[in-house]
Amino acid sequence: MNLLCITLCLLFSQFSEGVLSNSNNIKQIFNKPNYKYTEYELENALSNDLITEYLRSSLNINMSSIDNDTKVDSMMIYLNREQFAWVLQFEADNYLEHYIKLLASIKDGNDIETKKIIEEMNKYSKPEIDSLLNMAEAILLLKQDDYDNALTLINSYNDSYSLYIKSICYLKKGDYDAAYNILKQINNHTINHSGYIIISDIYMKRGQYSEALNYIRNFEEEFKQSNKMPYILYQKGYIYYKKGYFLRSIDILENMINISRNNTLKGNAYYLIGKNYFMIGDYEHMEKYLAYVKNPLIPSDFKKNALFLDSKGMFFGEDYGKAIEKMEKFLELYPEDFLTPYAYQILAQSYFYLGDLSTSLKYIDSIKNPEFVVDKLVLMKYFIDYRNGIFEDSISAHESFLSNEKNNPLRKDAYEYILNHSDNDDLKTRTMKSYLEEFPDNVDFIQYFSNLMPYLVFYERHDDILWFADRISEYLPKSKDELYTMIIEKMYELGINGKAIDFYARYADKYDKDDDKVIFHIALLLSKTGENISSELLMKHLIDNNSSIYVDSAYILLSEIYIEERNLINMRNLLSEININEKHYLYAFILRNKAQLEKINRNYEYAVNDLILSAEIFGDMRDEASISLIRAAEAAYENNDSEYACILLDKASMLAMDIEIINKIKVLNEKYKNH
């Protein structure tokens, strides 16, 4: 038995996970760390060898060299054989014999005998042993949790061993800073073996994992063959778990299991591996490792936690049947545990998802403390009430939830349930307004608004549309362009031209970046309503933005506006802007529209020449080329040159592939030849 097994009662309540909850009470409980400092985890800070080395060095006595003292020889033989009870049977007549008995009692862990020997040795009052006895007595006081008196006894001593005992006292008192500062002063290889572990533990207690890793690496480098290496690896695996390197933590802990002889430490490592698998969502492997921890023959500090986590993993893995089986086993073993309300939560939710609403309600009602009734269960209870006939339908249940549960964070879920499941568009519009006011930064709103847009536009709910547009500009500025575009596109699609233009005029200055598609459609709508000047301005804006995919369309729309306005000068200027080498098809198309204006102005020869050139440019676009030639023939015919018109039609017939174009050529040929 060891004299004093320091457990560094940085001891915290064993950790376990919470369920789906938002209450502060639950957060406080489940934010507790799960790093457990237990007896096996530290080298016994005041181990027998450490103390006896100190005692021997303090008196500077080489006991194996003592001659001519049969009694001392006998006592030393028994001491070296670790037959401590035989040593303690001797009557000590001097301080040396008392000293040997002191070593034996310490080695034997016999605190009562140690205290008795110290009291007897105090009679000698020799300066060379006063500090030794004070140290021994301080160790006894430390074991009895009398830290202040232990510190008083050795306060003036500054040797490595005394400093070490002081650091342990401060650790036990919870003064980690003082313990750390003292340990940093010690430069003793034997003590550093334990000191590195303790310092890393202190850093871990503070959550300073990188600093803890530095000491762990120092330990690994300096004490490669230490029998405490499994504990160091456990520390290391835990740190990587806390830092979120779950797979690396698993590798380290599996290596630790392979070299550890401490079954409790191995059991704890299995639990931590299970937690790592839980965190990465691998519930199958989690279950495998936790099964080892739950084995009654395997020692572990986390038996209860393993059972709870096992069920929780099944719950998150949506294997609700297994979750129920495991959690009901947990309740059977721990019916009054502080985790019991959370077990009820998982059971209530699991039964709910399996459709067993009566059992779900039973577990909800089993949670006696209102603080433990989590928000999710409150919402579920409304649904259960609906199924029990209290509400007409599920939508009404969620409406009631929104009316009554003003502070429940799952109100967002209730809003979205109504928006996703209600067939009443008016209700959805009202719900969406409340939803946006209450959760103004929720980007999911755009999708819900998109789903409702056809209803709002078709029934001309323009006031509602403007209300949403105003709120979007205020609450979701990054999404407003997307919303404005959506509204205008839907109005354009449904042909609500005037409202689309009005809407664009109202919000154009709020666009962070003009959408070319919107601008083009607004320009089309403006041209349809006779607002050619405004349409022309927008088209020129697109043309100036040479990278827009609507540049060619803008040119074509402008040319059509100029035809409508019979503005030949603008048409000629427009054509001159087009680089025939880069956009030859566009040039041919606009040239064909220019020819239409030339014909309107009775410039038939210009028109014919433009159309023939247009046909040549279209080239391999045979039907387009044939259309240009047909129009050239029409212009020639109107200029009273029916013979040339027929020649042009013959050329067109050689190119045409579309049956309608071919038929038109036949009709015109017949007409012109008979003229």
Side-chain angles (χ1 to χ4, degrees), residues 441-502:
D441 57 349
N442 181 20
V443 295
D444 293 340
F445 168 80
I446 296 296
Q447 183 58 49
Y448 291 114
F449 186 79
S450 175
N451 296 338
L452 197 57
M453 177 61 65
Y455 162 76
L456 294 173
V457 173
F458 184 80
Y459 287 100
E460 301 189 12
R461 298 279 294 263
H462 300 302
D463 289 342
D464 289 326
I465 292 173
L466 295 176
W467 186 93
F468 285 120
D470 287 338
R471 295 306 186 279
I472 288 295
S473 298
E474 178 183 356
Y475 297 147
L476 298 170
K478 292 183 179 180
S479 301
K480 66 178 184 291
D481 289 352
E482 179 185 354
L483 180 78
Y484 298 159
T485 301
M486 184 194 311
I487 293 171
I488 291 171
E489 286 299 305
K490 184 55 66 174
M491 290 178 172
Y492 174 81
E493 179 185 322
L494 296 178
I496 306 175
N497 302 341
K499 289 295 182 182
I501 294 169
D502 291 344

Side-chain angles (χ1 to χ4, degrees), residues 555 562 569-580 586-592 594-595 610 613:
Y555 273 114
Y562 294 151
I569 294 175
N570 282 350
M571 182 71 84
R572 288 171 177 170
N573 290 336
L574 182 67
L575 187 65
S576 68
E577 295 176 8
I578 302 172
N579 187 326
I580 189 172
L586 175 64
Y587 189 93
F589 195 92
I590 301 300
L591 186 61
R592 195 160 68 191
K594 172 182 173 290
D610 286 345
L613 178 58

Side-chain angles (χ1 to χ4, degrees), residues 354-416:
L354 290 177
D356 189 344
L357 302 185
S358 60
T359 306
S360 175
L361 186 60
K362 180 191 80 171
Y363 279 111
I364 293 175
D365 291 340
S366 296
I367 304 174
K368 303 304 181 184
N369 186 345
E371 293 184 13
F372 286 96
V373 181
V374 294
D375 310 311
K376 185 77 173 178
L377 298 185
V378 174
L379 182 57
M380 284 182 173
K381 193 170 186 304
Y382 275 84
F383 186 84
I384 293 172
D385 287 343
Y386 143 65
R387 292 295 296 271
N388 289 335
I390 296 176
F391 296 105
E392 180 180 352
D393 53 41
S394 61
I395 301 299
S396 300
H398 284 81
E399 284 186 279
S400 179
F401 172 84
L402 289 170
S403 297
N404 298 322
E405 308 298 334
K406 299 299 183 183
N407 297 316
N408 193 307
L410 292 179
R411 290 174 62 82
K412 179 176 178 291
D413 292 14
Y415 281 126
E416 293 181 356

Side-chain angles (χ1 to χ4, degrees), residues 1-7 39-40 42-51 82 84 103-111 114 139-140 143 227-228:
M1 179 183 295
N2 295 331
L3 171 65
L4 180 59
C5 296
I6 294 297
T7 62
E39 180 174 326
Y40 65 83
L42 290 177
E43 178 173 18
N44 299 318
L46 304 178
S47 66
N48 305 325
D49 293 338
L50 197 61
I51 295 167
E82 297 189 354
F84 308 122
L103 290 179
S105 66
I106 290 173
K107 283 278 196 178
D108 195 33
N110 191 331
D111 297 341
T114 299
I139 292 170
L140 284 178
K143 186 174 181 182
N227 62 354
K228 298 303 176 184

Side-chain angles (χ1 to χ4, degrees), residues 481 485 489 504 511 513-520 542 550:
D481 289 352
T485 301
E489 286 299 305
Y504 179 77
Y511 274 95
K513 181 180 179 181
D514 289 340
D515 185 279
D516 290 346
K517 185 178 181 182
V518 168
I519 292 174
F520 181 70
L542 290 175
Y550 292 96

Side-chain angles (χ1 to χ4, degrees), residues 48-250:
N48 305 325
D49 293 338
L50 197 61
I51 295 167
T52 52
E53 179 183 339
Y54 168 76
L55 296 178
R56 289 175 186 272
S57 62
S58 296
L59 287 180
N60 196 24
I61 296 174
N62 184 349
M63 295 190 175
S64 63
S65 65
I66 295 176
D67 297 322
N68 303 319
D69 192 329
T70 305
K71 184 177 181 181
V72 169
D73 286 344
S74 299
M75 293 175 72
M76 283 303 302
I77 290 171
Y78 288 128
L79 181 67
N80 290 331
R81 291 177 179 174
E82 297 189 354
Q83 293 176 304
F84 308 122
W86 287 95
V87 176
L88 295 176
Q89 287 182 2
F90 284 89
E91 289 290 336
D93 297 322
N94 55 53
Y95 80 88
L96 182 57
E97 293 171 0
H98 278 97
Y99 171 71
I100 297 172
K101 290 184 68 175
L102 179 62
L103 290 179
S105 66
I106 290 173
K107 283 278 196 178
D108 195 33
N110 191 331
D111 297 341
I112 296 175
E113 188 66 23
T114 299
K115 185 174 183 181
K116 179 181 175 182
I117 295 171
I118 290 172
E119 290 173 351
E120 291 177 357
M121 291 184 73
N122 277 326
K123 298 174 184 178
Y124 296 101
S125 188
K126 292 180 178 292
E128 64 268 27
I129 66 170
D130 284 348
S131 60
L132 182 151
L133 296 179
N134 284 343
M135 178 66 74
E137 187 172 356
I139 292 170
L140 284 178
L141 291 170
L142 176 56
K143 186 174 181 182
Q144 296 165 4
D145 298 334
D146 191 350
Y147 314 123
D148 291 331
N149 283 325
L151 286 168
T152 300
L153 276 174
I154 59 174
N155 186 53
S156 61
Y157 302 160
N158 292 310
D159 59 277
S160 295
Y161 294 95
S162 298
L163 290 174
Y164 189 58
I165 300 303
K166 289 181 189 179
S167 72
I168 301 302
C169 286
Y170 283 115
L171 264 172
K172 297 285 282 183
K173 283 166 64 71
D175 190 341
Y176 305 115
D177 290 336
Y180 171 81
N181 291 332
I182 292 172
L183 285 167
K184 291 281 286 184
Q185 300 174 37
I186 300 173
N187 186 20
N188 180 296
H189 184 79
T190 303
I191 293 178
N192 285 347
H193 183 259
S194 296
Y196 285 165
I197 299 177
I198 296 173
I199 291 175
S200 65
D201 280 338
I202 291 172
Y203 276 127
M204 291 173 71
K205 169 64 174 65
R206 294 170 172 170
Q208 295 173 282
Y209 300 118
S210 296
E211 290 81 356
L213 273 176
N214 289 336
Y215 274 90
I216 288 173
R217 292 186 184 113
N218 289 341
F219 186 98
E220 289 176 314
E221 182 65 27
E222 192 169 340
F223 304 102
K224 291 183 174 65
Q225 304 304 318
S226 171
N227 62 354
K228 298 303 176 184
M229 193 59 72
Y231 171 63
I232 282 294
L233 292 177
Y234 182 84
Q235 278 186 318
K236 196 174 182 180
Y238 177 79
I239 289 173
Y240 280 115
Y241 163 78
K242 291 296 289 184
K243 290 170 74 72
Y245 298 109
F246 304 119
L247 293 178
R248 190 180 301 180
S249 174
I250 290 170

